[in-house]
Amino acid sequence: MKWDTLDEEPCSLSRTVAVVGDRWTLLILRECFLRVRRFEAFQSSLQITRHLLSERLKKLVRFGILRRVPYSETPKRYEYILTQKGLDLYPVIMAMVHWGDTHMGDERGRPLLHEHKTCGKLFDPVMVCSECGEVLHAKQVHVHAGPGRKEAVG
Amino acid sequence: MKWDTLDEEPCSLSRTVAVVGDRWTLLILRECFLRVRRFEAFQSSLQITRHLLSERLKKLVRFGILRRVPYSETPKRYEYILTQKGLDLYPVIMAMVHWGDTHMGDERGRPLLHEHKTCGKLFDPVMVCSECGEVLHAKQVHVHAGPGRKEAVG
DNA sequence: TTTGACAGTTCTATTTTGGAACTATAGCCT
DNA sequence: AGGCTATAGTTCCAAAATAGAACTGTCAAA
């Protein structure tokens, strides 16, 4: 597989993996959702090398997930803010957090608790069907080739 | 960061990333959800090197996401089947597929369409609050340190 | 004038990955 | 018996990605 063209594959998972499917990007995005915005802050909280952090931030900007916004003119300094496209990754992050809570926990209990401001309660994220609202399970889903697949396959 | 102990960090996202946060693992899991089970089948559909495929499958077995089940005695041959822990990754995969559908599409249309057998309709996966059922948005969620975090931090 | 904060870049060593060939077991065909 | 094929890997070397540390440049404050 050629990683440089993974975002053009006729598969939405491949295209997403092309963007967030490396060791650091998801952790950087976690920090973004925790309101981290600046180079030094990412670096010190993640212990990522400055080189890689710089690369990954550029990549996220290039894909339109972060915006690089000046917050000081002299000297020129920038911070990194989630775009709507970036904010839309929230379900991906939350799905992973929930799986980690469920299957990778230890005796210390959950690292973080999530409160839904709308209803005021601590919650778990649940994935449901957009049409009937039922909780989704892999075995109740049937997959069809869509137009993008048919055209790609022939 | 030390990748070999990422699964012990006091953060559920880190722990999940420790398992699925590399270039190949999510693509292998996609194939699992599409009912692929055998070494040769993974290899030919993903074009992953045999070496890496072997490594990744071992890792997924070690973490209890796949089971290695014999399907032939002479010669000994095995196939790889999702455990419940593996099936529970479905929301992660679906969240990524949905993000790809929404933000990484091209003029050809969606590669795959998903039908919910329960209601018979083509659907999108939606993440909701377990308590009130409302659709989740990052800005409506407040994060608290849980017991696992407090104990780890001090 | 020196120090420190911030946002990177540059350099080398180590690790991971890609690509191709090789091994091992066994069934099937002639 | 001898050779072909299928399956599930392992081995080896080259290429690419990552880690770790030092360095650059701008400006503010002491």
Side-chain angles (χ1 to χ4, degrees):
Chain A
M1 179 127 343
K2 1 63 207 125
W3 288 104
D4 44 333
T5 57
L6 193 60
D7 57 327
E8 295 157 21
E9 291 277 303
C11 165
S12 294
L13 182 71
S14 296
R15 292 177 190 168
T16 302
V17 167
V19 183
V20 303
D22 69 89
R23 285 224 192 24
W24 283 111
T25 299
L26 284 164
L27 296 176
I28 291 171
L29 288 168
R30 171 193 73 187
E31 298 300 304
C32 292
F33 280 107
L34 293 171
R35 316 286 196 272
V36 170
R37 307 175 153 203
R38 297 187 184 178
F39 192 93
E40 296 294 320
F42 287 113
Q43 205 276 320
S44 73
S45 79
L46 291 173
Q47 296 296 100
I48 182 176
T49 63
R50 308 175 73 76
H51 180 69
L52 271 207
L53 176 57
S54 173
E55 281 239 327
R56 291 292 184 269
L57 290 173
K58 273 180 201 155
K59 180 178 168 183
L60 288 168
V61 169
R62 185 155 33 84
F63 275 113
I65 288 165
L66 298 178
R67 247 175 324 139
R68 190 164 173 265
V69 179
Y71 71 90
S72 147
E73 281 303 320
T74 63
K76 271 277 189 191
R77 298 218 188 294
Y78 300 90
E79 54 189 11
Y80 297 88
I81 315 241
L82 286 164
T83 61
Q84 187 58 50
K85 186 171 174 181
L87 287 167
D88 285 352
L89 281 165
Y90 194 64
V92 173
I93 304 271
M94 286 303 273
M96 295 183 79
V97 168
H98 185 231
W99 187 85
D101 279 340
T102 306
H103 291 290
M104 299 292 287
D106 57 27
E107 67 294 331
R108 293 177 295 185
R110 294 190 180 193
L112 293 182
L113 303 173
H114 298 270
E115 178 189 334
H116 194 206
K117 289 181 193 169
T118 313
C119 71
K121 296 188 184 146
L122 297 178
F123 73 97
D124 286 319
V126 178
M127 188 149 279
V128 302
C129 168
S130 59
E131 303 307 305
C132 70
E134 289 285 301
V135 176
L136 278 180
H137 297 288
K139 296 188 176 175
Q140 290 157 5
V141 173
H142 186 67
V143 175
H144 303 267
R149 173 64 60 95
K150 284 174 192 151
E151 215 168 295
V153 175
Chain B
M1 179 128 344
K2 359 71 215 105
W3 288 102
D4 44 333
T5 58
L6 193 60
D7 57 328
E8 295 158 20
E9 290 277 304
C11 165
S12 294
L13 182 71
S14 297
R15 292 176 190 168
T16 302
V17 167
V19 183
V20 302
D22 68 89
R23 287 223 193 24
W24 283 112
T25 300
L26 283 165
L27 297 176
I28 291 171
L29 288 169
R30 171 193 74 186
E31 297 299 305
C32 293
F33 281 107
L34 293 172
R35 316 287 197 272
V36 169
R37 306 176 153 203
R38 298 187 183 176
F39 192 92
E40 296 294 323
F42 287 112
Q43 204 276 321
S44 73
S45 79
L46 291 173
Q47 296 296 98
I48 182 176
T49 63
R50 309 175 73 77
H51 180 70
L52 272 205
L53 176 57
S54 174
E55 282 239 326
R56 292 292 183 268
L57 290 173
K58 274 181 201 154
K59 181 177 168 184
L60 288 168
V61 170
R62 184 155 34 83
F63 276 112
I65 288 166
L66 297 178
R67 248 175 325 139
R68 189 161 174 268
V69 181
Y71 72 90
S72 147
E73 280 306 319
T74 62
K76 270 276 187 190
R77 299 219 187 289
Y78 299 90
E79 54 189 10
Y80 296 87
I81 316 244
L82 285 164
T83 62
Q84 187 58 49
K85 186 172 175 181
L87 287 167
D88 285 351
L89 281 166
Y90 193 65
V92 172
I93 304 271
M94 286 302 274
M96 295 182 80
V97 167
H98 185 230
W99 187 86
D101 278 340
T102 305
H103 291 290
M104 300 290 286
D106 58 26
E107 67 295 332
R108 293 176 296 184
R110 294 191 179 191
L112 293 182
L113 302 174
H114 298 271
E115 178 188 334
H116 194 206
K117 289 182 194 169
T118 313
C119 71
K121 296 189 185 143
L122 296 178
F123 73 98
D124 286 319
V126 177
M127 186 148 280
V128 302
C129 169
S130 59
E131 303 308 306
C132 71
E134 289 285 300
V135 175
L136 278 180
H137 296 287
K139 296 189 176 176
Q140 291 156 6
V141 173
H142 186 67
V143 174
H144 303 269
R149 173 62 60 96
K150 285 173 190 151
E151 217 169 295
V153 176

